[in-house]
Amino acid sequence: VASRKVIPVPAGTRVAFQGEPGAFSQTACNQLFGPRIEVVPCPSFDSVFEAVRRRVVPYAVVPIENSLAGSVHQNYDLMERHAIEVLGETFVRIEHSLIALPGATLRSVRKVYSHPVALAQCLRFFKRFPRMEPVQFYDTAGSVKHIRETELEGAAAIASAESATIYGMKVLRRGIEDDAGNFTRFLALAPRGKVRHRGGKTSIVFALRNEPGALFKALSVFALREVDLSKIESRPILGKPWEYLFYADLRADTRSAACDNALRHLREFVPYFRLLGSYRTY
Amino acid sequence: VASRKVIPVPAGTRVAFQGEPGAFSQTACNQLFGPRIEVVPCPSFDSVFEAVRRRVVPYAVVPIENSLAGSVHQNYDLMERHAIEVLGETFVRIEHSLIALPGATLRSVRKVYSHPVALAQCLRFFKRFPRMEPVQFYDTAGSVKHIRETELEGAAAIASAESATIYGMKVLRRGIEDDAGNFTRFLALAPRGKVRHRGGKTSIVFALRNEPGALFKALSVFALREVDLSKIESRPILGKPWEYLFYADLRADTRSAACDNALRHLREFVPYFRLLGSYRTY
């Protein structure tokens, strides 16, 4: 079997992620950095970014977008607040399982714990089993751990089948997500300026002057040079109601003349610009 | 005092909103339709849209964007799924208060219940009072009601000061939001085609062919005619990973030649287009 290409780091390198062991983010960590890293579970996205900023870990992995739920806006905001750089991206197929204590059956389940996004991705399952009440929890794998530790009767969790193995729990049903086209895009992050991997994808953030045609003008720098945009996302600017920061992903490498020129052109007229990274897909 | 202009409806007209009496959405209902309507509280945004679709109510009001938290993406998705029309918009200043049982003091509070967005808007308050643990609840005013009904000791809610009055509760502290520039934009909705108010704002939704420069080309129809975009928002298209629907707000009336021509031009080449409404600000 050919080994999958990963970001080259020494064995035992610490990589932070949000969630508990068995979380989809852990799968993303291994897809990005390989199997020989030490993963560092963190309780929140804030604490993941803090761990990188305070150099507690050299790298972190966060989800940025899900193909069904859309962008993880909190992480866009955190990328803007912290001096981080994007090193790489990867895509994880999200397959949700219903997981409970070893003695449980589908009929015994009354409450189903999981992360709000995971709950929202299994609406058809909840319509089929109206007796089951969804309960919001901070993490998918964390809800498996919670049910195991508290021996919670009548409860189940929605999480990866891997997390059932980790906590010695039973998979009551696999693949309960509404849509099989359920993928999450994760980014590998490092403190800004530490390393500079390059690749076919470039992420930027910029603000616009509050004037007619400003976004059109900004997109023209790419369109005129045939640099393709794969994603654009707007986020409010705090303290400036109804003004926005724009996050854009380009299918281009900053080393290419077209991309480099486009970014220089954009910087000529936007009031704020930042390069988040130029990287490849792992 | 000059009376504020509202959408003209008969006294007693039923208007649905998400939340409990005292919610900020109720304030929005009255700003949009005046004080003589009958407001109909609903448990979820889904049920608000269902109530309109099944003609249980002729109108509804939903939040679409907050100046700090960003768009309410669920309501963008629900607008797309239901045959509704936008009749008007209004802006409500969000002032959060800490509310508890009449005998409570600031020192006695251990758990603070509220809607996740309201909790996220009071982070500085939680940093100042680290003993207080935020607890996610389905509604701001609903958390006040919950504490009242269960006589919950050691608990407080984050909600509008008006909701304290409604439920006979005590305001422990006013204005606990991080940022005074905290406004929510609400839309008045009706079943599609029922009425057609016009005004200086137009909302549309469209898809793009998955090809380079597609968004630039779409925005060109407005830029070339000096039709100003006040907002653009992308949402994933279910079943088509990494393709997006775009929601745009134009500072223009569909009765103007520039706007009408721009929309006709856009429809020439986009695979999907829908006019959500042309309306005024109340």
Side-chain angles (χ1 to χ4, degrees), chain B residues 83-96:
Chain B
I84 58 84
E85 180 156 1
V86 180
L87 298 183
E89 68 173 3
T90 197
F91 296 85
V92 174
R93 158 100 161 80
I94 306 297
E95 195 196 45
H96 290 305

Side-chain angles (χ1 to χ4, degrees), chain A residues 141-162:
Chain A
S143 55
V144 179
K145 187 184 170 198
H146 173 69
I147 292 171
R148 166 92 278 180
E149 287 180 350
T150 60
E151 304 260 332
L152 210 55
E153 301 282 340
I158 293 176
S160 69
E162 288 85 337

Side-chain angles (χ1 to χ4, degrees), chain B residues 225-245:
Chain B
R225 292 171 180 90
E226 290 172 9
V227 170
D228 188 22
L229 227 76
S230 62
K231 168 103 202 271
I232 187 158
E233 183 72 39
S234 58
R235 290 295 297 152
I237 300 179
L238 300 192
K240 292 184 179 177
W242 325 122
E243 292 192 29
Y244 304 92
L245 280 180

Side-chain angles (χ1 to χ4, degrees), chain A residues 29 31 33 36 41 44 52 57 74 77 101 121 128 137 143 164 168 172 199-200 227 235 240 247 254 269 273-274:
Chain A
C29 289
Q31 283 185 200
F33 292 99
R36 297 170 63 211
S44 65
V52 175
V57 294
Q74 193 187 349
D77 294 351
L101 289 168
Q121 291 178 345
R128 208 179 315 149
F137 210 67
S143 55
L172 294 177
V227 171
R235 290 296 297 154
K240 291 185 177 174
Y247 292 83
T254 46
F269 61 86
F273 172 88
R274 192 177 140 203

Side-chain angles (χ1 to χ4, degrees), chain A residues 1-278:
Chain A
V1 182
S3 73
R4 198 187 165 105
K5 186 153 172 73
V6 296
I7 299 172
V9 293
T13 295
R14 286 155 58 82
V15 179
F17 72 97
Q18 188 275 325
E20 299 285 349
F24 293 108
S25 289
Q26 185 177 331
T27 306
C29 289
N30 295 126
Q31 283 185 200
L32 284 158
F33 292 99
R36 297 170 63 211
I37 55 168
E38 183 192 335
V39 291
V40 180
C42 295
S44 65
F45 292 131
D46 281 280
S47 57
V48 170
F49 279 84
E50 275 295 301
V52 175
R53 192 183 64 76
R54 290 166 46 204
R55 314 283 162 129
V56 176
V57 294
Y59 303 106
V61 169
V62 296
I64 199 70
E65 188 182 6
N66 175 271
S67 58
L68 300 177
S71 297
V72 183
H73 297 97
Q74 193 187 349
N75 285 336
Y76 274 102
D77 294 351
L78 285 166
M79 284 207 295
E80 178 50 27
R81 222 173 298 149
H82 292 81
I84 58 84
E85 181 157 358
V86 181
L87 299 185
E89 68 172 3
T90 197
F91 297 85
V92 175
R93 157 99 161 79
I94 307 297
E95 193 198 45
H96 290 306
S97 293
L98 190 75
I99 295 162
L101 289 168
T105 63
L106 208 54
R107 288 181 59 91
S108 68
V109 176
R110 287 288 176 280
K111 297 202 171 192
V112 179
Y113 292 75
S114 198
H115 189 278
V117 171
L119 293 171
Q121 291 178 345
C122 303
L123 296 183
R124 233 175 289 161
F125 177 81
F126 283 110
K127 285 217 168 148
R128 208 179 315 149
F129 295 96
R131 276 179 312 113
M132 296 188 191
E133 184 200 340
V135 180
Q136 298 195 354
F137 210 67
Y138 72 99
D139 184 56
T140 52
S143 55
V144 179
K145 187 184 170 198
H146 173 69
I147 292 171
R148 166 92 278 180
E149 287 180 350
T150 60
E151 304 260 332
L152 210 55
E153 301 282 340
I158 293 176
S160 69
E162 288 85 337
S163 65
T165 311
I166 290 176
Y167 299 104
M169 297 278 278
K170 182 179 172 186
V171 174
L172 294 177
R173 191 166 285 209
R174 275 190 94 110
I176 63 167
E177 67 276 6
D178 293 342
D179 196 317
N182 188 349
F183 296 90
T184 298
R185 178 180 168 225
F186 290 86
L187 298 180
L189 307 176
R192 199 177 175 184
K194 186 170 185 266
V195 278
R196 194 161 284 261
H197 291 263
R198 309 276 187 152
K201 200 97 175 249
T202 296
S203 290
I204 60 170
V205 52
F206 58 93
L208 294 175
R209 292 196 195 293
N210 198 357
E211 59 193 23
L215 181 59
F216 175 73
K217 199 170 149 190
L219 296 189
S220 77
V221 308
F222 304 111
L224 294 172
R225 294 173 180 89
E226 288 172 11
V227 171
D228 188 21
L229 229 75
S230 62
K231 167 102 202 272
I232 187 160
E233 184 70 40
S234 59
R235 290 296 297 154
I237 299 179
L238 300 192
K240 291 185 177 174
W242 325 120
E243 291 191 29
Y244 305 91
L245 280 180
F246 289 88
Y247 292 83
D249 294 334
L250 313 172
R251 285 203 187 91
D253 187 326
T254 46
R255 285 173 302 186
S256 75
C259 183
D260 187 49
N261 289 331
L263 295 181
R264 189 175 314 121
H265 185 176
L266 183 65
R267 270 179 244 181
E268 286 172 24
F269 61 86
V270 295
Y272 176 76
F273 172 88
R274 192 177 140 203
L275 178 66
L276 291 171
S278 197

Side-chain angles (χ1 to χ4, degrees), chain B residues 128-198:
Chain B
R128 208 179 314 151
F129 296 95
R131 277 181 311 113
M132 296 188 191
E133 184 201 340
V135 181
Q136 299 195 355
F137 208 70
Y138 73 99
D139 184 56
T140 53
S143 56
V144 179
K145 186 184 171 198
H146 173 69
I147 292 171
R148 166 91 280 179
E149 286 179 352
T150 60
E151 304 259 333
L152 210 54
E153 302 283 341
I158 293 177
S160 69
E162 289 85 336
S163 65
T165 312
I166 290 175
Y167 298 105
M169 298 277 276
K170 183 179 172 185
V171 174
L172 294 177
R173 191 166 284 208
R174 276 189 93 109
I176 64 167
E177 67 275 7
D178 293 341
D179 196 316
N182 189 348
F183 296 89
T184 298
R185 177 179 170 226
F186 289 86
L187 299 179
L189 307 175
R192 198 174 177 189
K194 184 170 188 263
V195 278
R196 193 159 284 259
H197 291 264
R198 308 279 185 151

